[in-house]
Amino acid sequence: MPIERSDLLQGTLDMLILKIAALGPVHGYGISQRIRQISKEVLQVQQGSLYPALHRLEKRGWLEADWGSSSNGRQAKFYRLSSKGRKQLDKEQSNWERLSEAVALIMQTAH
Amino acid sequence: MPIERSDLLQGTLDMLILKIAALGPVHGYGISQRIRQISKEVLQVQQGSLYPALHRLEKRGWLEADWGSSSNGRQAKFYRLSSKGRKQLDKEQSNWERLSEAVALIMQTAH
DNA sequence: CGTCTCTCCTAGACTTTCTACCTATGCTTA
DNA sequence: TAAGCATAGGTAGAAAGTCTAGGAGAGACG
């Protein structure tokens, strides 16, 4: 059986998380929901991808986190963008634009 | 020192190679040159990525290859798209459009 | 002769993501 | 009251792709 793959474009998850966090403090589970909603169900972040990514970003100093309670009164870890994270987001966004435009150039070359 | 990364968007290399091969038979070295030229030097395919990718695509039956001689009279392996490869290219292209539009949706959400 | 470009290739490391699990709590509903 | 579901956190290990860093040979050109 051929393998059907890819809920995400590899390499964009960090950027997407930083972008969602830039909209205001949000917990991990909420990030995955927002990505799914805003992308109209196209992008689905697996929890096994999400949490390692959050820890990675926090470790690099791009996100900062505090425990608090969610709208349901549950314990949740809220993430916000640090100023280093803001710079990183800008960098990743411009890199994304550069690369996706380059891919588009190739995909548009006439047959 | 922070690590600067990414000559390519992960996961797009196969699609780019199939696309270049769809323009007519071409050898590996030529593929990397065309990708670089068409993308205006933005996308640089390392040889250590290129050749494994070509072998992968040939193994999956998406490319077919014959040895021939290049315009310089040197031995070179020319790749062309098979009909399976054509279908795969169509599939990868529509998936790319779906995903890159979804990423764009998220990146465009107002602050 | 040395060096450059063209052309092919591989091994091993690294990163990211996925699958598949585990845990806990609160709400709903049968 | 029990079961199940959604919410919330997490990990381990596999799979996949790309990069770094090398090797090799042939022809062109000073």
Side-chain angles (χ1 to χ4, degrees):
Chain A
M1 283 296 100
I3 298 147
E4 287 303 336
R5 177 142 295 293
S6 136
D7 294 333
L8 286 174
L9 270 169
Q10 295 254 138
T12 58
L13 178 56
D14 290 2
M15 179 178 76
L16 295 175
I17 290 174
L18 293 176
K19 176 65 183 180
I20 300 295
L23 305 175
V26 62
H27 54 73
Y29 192 81
I31 291 174
S32 72
Q33 285 183 316
R34 291 195 189 198
I35 288 178
R36 190 162 44 74
Q37 288 160 6
I38 301 175
S39 74
K40 299 176 183 161
E41 318 293 318
V42 172
L43 302 177
Q44 319 249 358
V45 184
Q46 308 304 320
Q47 296 193 325
S49 311
L50 177 68
Y51 292 108
L54 288 171
H55 301 157
R56 188 163 70 225
L57 298 176
E58 190 181 359
K59 199 167 184 180
R60 290 178 186 165
W62 298 336
L63 291 181
E64 288 161 351
D66 300 293
W67 287 91
S69 42
S70 73
S71 52
N72 296 346
R74 294 185 180 176
Q75 284 302 97
K77 202 169 168 186
F78 286 80
Y79 291 92
R80 41 199 162 63
L81 202 60
S82 68
S83 55
K84 273 180 68 180
R86 155 62 57 193
K87 281 183 199 138
Q88 180 64 20
L89 173 55
D90 291 346
K91 195 189 295 182
E92 292 201 18
Q93 178 151 14
S94 70
N95 196 44
W96 158 259
E97 282 160 12
R98 223 170 51 93
L99 293 181
S100 61
E101 281 163 20
V103 170
L105 266 183
I106 291 172
M107 298 313 288
Q108 286 156 18
T109 52
H111 193 147
Chain B
M1 284 294 101
I3 299 146
E4 288 301 335
R5 178 144 293 292
S6 131
D7 293 334
L8 284 175
L9 271 169
Q10 294 252 142
T12 58
L13 179 56
D14 289 3
M15 179 179 76
L16 296 176
I17 290 174
L18 293 175
K19 176 66 181 177
I20 300 296
L23 305 175
V26 61
H27 54 73
Y29 192 81
I31 290 174
S32 71
Q33 285 183 315
R34 291 195 189 198
I35 288 178
R36 191 162 43 73
Q37 288 161 4
I38 301 175
S39 73
K40 297 174 184 161
E41 317 293 318
V42 173
L43 301 177
Q44 319 250 357
V45 183
Q46 306 304 321
Q47 296 195 327
S49 312
L50 177 69
Y51 291 106
L54 288 171
H55 300 158
R56 188 163 70 225
L57 298 176
E58 190 180 0
K59 201 168 182 179
R60 290 178 186 162
W62 298 336
L63 291 180
E64 288 161 351
D66 299 290
W67 286 92
S69 41
S70 74
S71 52
N72 296 347
R74 293 179 183 181
Q75 284 302 98
K77 201 169 167 187
F78 285 81
Y79 291 92
R80 42 201 160 63
L81 201 61
S82 68
S83 53
K84 274 181 68 180
R86 156 62 58 193
K87 283 182 197 135
Q88 180 63 19
L89 173 56
D90 291 347
K91 195 189 298 182
E92 292 201 17
Q93 178 152 13
S94 70
N95 196 45
W96 159 259
E97 282 161 10
R98 223 170 52 93
L99 294 181
S100 61
E101 281 162 19
V103 170
L105 266 182
I106 290 173
M107 298 313 289
Q108 286 156 17
T109 52
H111 193 149

